[in-house]
Amino acid sequence: MKNIKKIIALSVISVTMSCGKTSEEKQNNATEVTEKEPLNIIFMVGDGMGIPQVSSAFYFGEHTPNFKQFESIGLSRTSSTSHLITDSAAGATAFSTGEKTYKRAIGVSSDTIALPTILEQLKERGYQTGLISLTSITHATPAAYYAHVEDRDMHEEIAKQLVDAEVDFFAGGGKKYFQNREDGLHLYDSLLAKNYKLDTLELSKPDAKRRNAYLLTEEGLPSKTKGRGDFLAEASQAGFDYFQANKKPFFMMIEGSYIDWGGHAKDDEMMIQEVLDFDKTIGVVLDFVKKHPNTLLVVTADHETGGVSIGKAYDESGKEIPQQVQVYFNTDQHSTELVPVFAKGQGEELFRGIYENSEIYHKLMQAINEN
């Protein structure tokens, strides 16, 4: 009987200690969750970049493409509400708001109602925000993150809304939409009044104590084949330096704009060089992600351009060259191909599979909220 009582007593003590430990562990876990750093989001758009364009980096580059570093890969369907074949405006609006809309719409629904964007929502949560583009900063892809207009060509109104949006760091072209405007407004003055460091000459070192605006060309920057240099990679690094100096979480969208333009022009060399430049920038971003594990990188495209395929190469006599391939264009317009989605970092597993482009917004928000 004494042994039975002893066993019962030990069992009670064991259970009590176990319960206390579980309670303590729960408290520790709750503390860990509370102390977790908010998730940085880097979203890269290779405008016009389908699977064949990505493939070109493996056949025409001198090094192993940075695309190969991704293990979480999916596909997205790009159609808009009005057209099976979308444009960059509707595509970017789906990314930024989680809702599909009509072709040419910027930040508005199919009923032209303004939709809150991920950039605006994260800014309200205390995030820093950034936009980088090779085109005018008022062009469709970057505009969809801060503007709300019925048509993508409303550049002057989009520029005005950019000033009001107070994006912390932006770099691209588009000077002409900020000065010498039809409405007579001088938006350079407006940016300075909003405490921006404004540089219209070069990608200078950011001022960590102010917002930073780089408007470097009248319209878009030159293509890679016209001597652009490493602007995309350098601007991305400058953005990271700025955000890190302020020690706050950030959202940044980076657009490799001219992959699309190479497709429209049926210019294989331009397309290849733009893909390689985009891939080089991905390398810079991946280096940042590796050093800062509280970061999620997603790389995708708004649509494919050119109906591109990579096939046999032939010499002047029509004989196949066994160790070479060449780019073929089926069209000079966008296509309705599914486009790739690459993800790296916390929450990357959410981006595997096949889904609508609008789902990317929801997956990003899920990753942020689960962190």
Side-chain angles (χ1 to χ4, degrees), residues 23-158:
S23 175
E24 186 180 345
E25 283 176 349
K26 284 180 179 178
Q27 188 175 351
N28 289 339
N29 288 341
T31 303
E32 285 175 13
V33 170
T34 303
E35 293 176 353
K36 259 191 175 181
E37 293 182 71
L39 191 63
N40 300 317
I41 299 292
I42 306 168
F43 190 67
M44 298 183 69
V45 180
D47 199 316
M49 184 186 72
I51 292 173
Q53 284 84 349
V54 172
S55 301
S56 72
F58 288 80
Y59 293 106
F60 297 99
E62 296 179 0
H63 308 287
T64 302
N66 289 303
F67 286 113
K68 197 170 182 182
Q69 296 189 49
F70 294 93
E71 295 180 355
S72 294
I73 303 170
L75 292 170
S76 87
R77 183 171 177 266
T78 63
S79 298
S80 70
T81 58
S82 61
H83 293 73
L84 280 176
I85 299 176
T86 193
D87 74 332
S88 295
T93 297
F95 294 150
S96 68
T97 70
E99 185 171 324
K100 284 181 179 281
T101 189
Y102 63 91
K103 191 174 176 181
R104 303 189 67 82
I106 295 288
V108 297
S109 68
S110 295
D111 298 325
T112 68
I113 305 298
L115 298 168
T117 72
I118 188 170
L119 182 147
E120 293 166 336
Q121 291 169 312
L122 293 182
K123 191 173 182 67
E124 289 180 358
R125 295 194 190 188
Y127 272 64
Q128 302 171 96
T129 56
L131 298 168
I132 299 171
S133 180
L134 300 175
T135 59
S136 167
I137 201 66
T138 62
H139 209 264
T141 301
Y145 286 87
Y146 62 84
H148 308 275
V149 296
E150 296 178 11
D151 189 274
R152 60 185 290 173
D153 281 347
M154 299 169 67
H155 287 279
E156 289 199 356
E157 174 59 26
I158 291 169

Side-chain angles (χ1 to χ4, degrees), residues 141-256:
T141 301
Y145 286 87
Y146 62 84
H148 308 275
V149 296
E150 296 178 11
D151 189 274
R152 60 185 290 173
D153 281 347
M154 299 169 67
H155 287 279
E156 289 199 356
E157 174 59 26
I158 291 169
K160 186 172 178 293
Q161 290 188 28
L162 176 56
V163 175
D164 294 336
E166 299 183 349
V167 175
D168 297 294
F169 179 99
F170 65 84
K175 289 182 185 181
K176 71 180 191 179
Y177 302 118
F178 292 80
Q179 295 288 83
N180 303 315
R181 294 162 50 94
E182 290 183 9
D183 59 12
L185 292 176
H186 298 283
L187 296 187
Y188 284 2
D189 295 338
S190 301
L191 287 168
L192 295 173
K194 294 269 189 177
N195 197 33
Y196 274 92
K197 173 200 165 183
L198 173 63
D199 199 327
T200 60
L201 299 175
E202 62 178 346
L203 187 66
S204 54
K205 183 179 179 180
D207 183 344
K209 296 181 180 179
R210 304 167 68 187
R211 299 188 183 100
N212 289 262
Y214 299 93
L215 295 167
L216 303 181
T217 54
E218 288 298 310
E219 186 65 71
L221 278 77
S223 67
K224 194 69 179 172
T225 54
K226 295 288 179 63
R228 183 177 67 241
D230 292 328
F231 169 83
L232 198 62
E234 291 171 358
S236 299
Q237 186 60 60
F240 297 149
D241 293 343
Y242 171 73
F243 295 138
Q244 287 302 110
N246 285 292
K247 297 179 181 179
K248 291 169 63 180
F250 67 86
F251 169 88
M252 181 156 69
M253 191 285 298
I254 304 167
E255 182 191 22

Side-chain angles (χ1 to χ4, degrees), residues 279-351:
D279 182 72
K280 181 176 182 178
T281 305
I282 289 173
V284 171
V285 178
L286 284 170
D287 286 345
F288 179 87
V289 174
K290 289 169 188 173
K291 294 173 185 174
H292 302 87
N294 61 311
T295 304
L296 172 61
L297 165 64
V298 176
V299 183
T300 189
D302 44 5
H303 53 74
E304 191 275 344
T305 306
V308 171
S309 64
I310 298 178
K312 293 179 180 180
Y314 299 92
D315 62 21
E316 293 179 358
S317 66
K319 186 178 179 180
E320 181 184 351
I321 307 172
Q323 296 302 315
Q324 289 186 28
V325 292
Q326 68 183 64
V327 174
Y328 294 89
F329 294 95
N330 183 54
T331 178
D332 61 359
Q333 297 299 312
H334 301 171
S335 76
T336 191
E337 290 183 14
L338 301 186
V339 297
V341 184
F342 303 88
K344 194 80 168 179
Q346 286 194 43
E348 67 177 71
E349 66 282 352
L350 296 171
F351 296 86

